Amino acid sequence: MAPLGCELSERGNLKAGSDYQTTAPGVFACGDARRGQSLVVWAIWEGREAARDVDAYPMGETSLPASPEL
Ligand SMILES: Cc1cc2nc3c(=O)[nH]c(=O)nc-3n(C[C@H](O)[C@H](O)[C@H](O)COP(=O)(O)OP(=O)(O)OC[C@H]3O[C@@H](n4cnc5c(N)ncnc54)[C@H](O)[C@@H]3O)c2cc1C
């Protein structure tokens, strides 16, 4: 179990859904913390996507721009 009560994946990363929310409600993870050691472009891409989900969490919607399709 990681801090804040977040569960870890089998690979030892923070477990998070497609909305980047961990198993602890209101706690989000992206980049290397979620996918494990990877490439900086993924960290940037996921960071932008996660920011949209963080924004939508209390607001119900977001106007932040989406990351480009890959
Ligand atoms: C040696 C090395 C070489 C690499 N070379 C390449 C490369 O050539 N090309 C490439 O695409 N990728 C490369 N990578 C991978 C790339 O650096 C990572 O995928 C990317 O930086 C991940 O970004 P991130 O924001 O998810 O995590 P990080 O960049 O690790 O950022 C996490 C941040 O959180 C901070 N932090 C940690 N714990 C806490 C805490 N408790 N409280 C507050 N802050 C905290 C850390 O200080 C850090 O600033 C390399 C990685 C390494 C280690």
Side-chain angles (χ1 to χ4, degrees):
M1 190 75 76
L4 302 174
C6 304
E7 285 180 34
L8 298 179
S9 69
E10 292 159 7
R11 301 176 73 181
N13 306 314
L14 287 171
K15 198 183 277 187
S18 58
D19 63 353
Y20 299 97
Q21 191 163 190
T22 67
T23 52
V27 179
F28 295 77
C30 63
D32 282 9
R34 188 184 81 94
R35 53 168 57 230
Q37 193 169 337
S38 185
L39 299 174
V40 70
V41 289
W42 276 116
I44 295 168
W45 193 92
E46 284 198 358
R48 291 168 62 99
E49 289 297 295
R52 286 166 50 81
D53 287 308
V54 170
D55 190 36
Y57 181 69
M59 305 296 288
E61 60 182 321
T62 183
S63 58
L64 293 176
S67 294
E69 291 289 329
L70 294 178

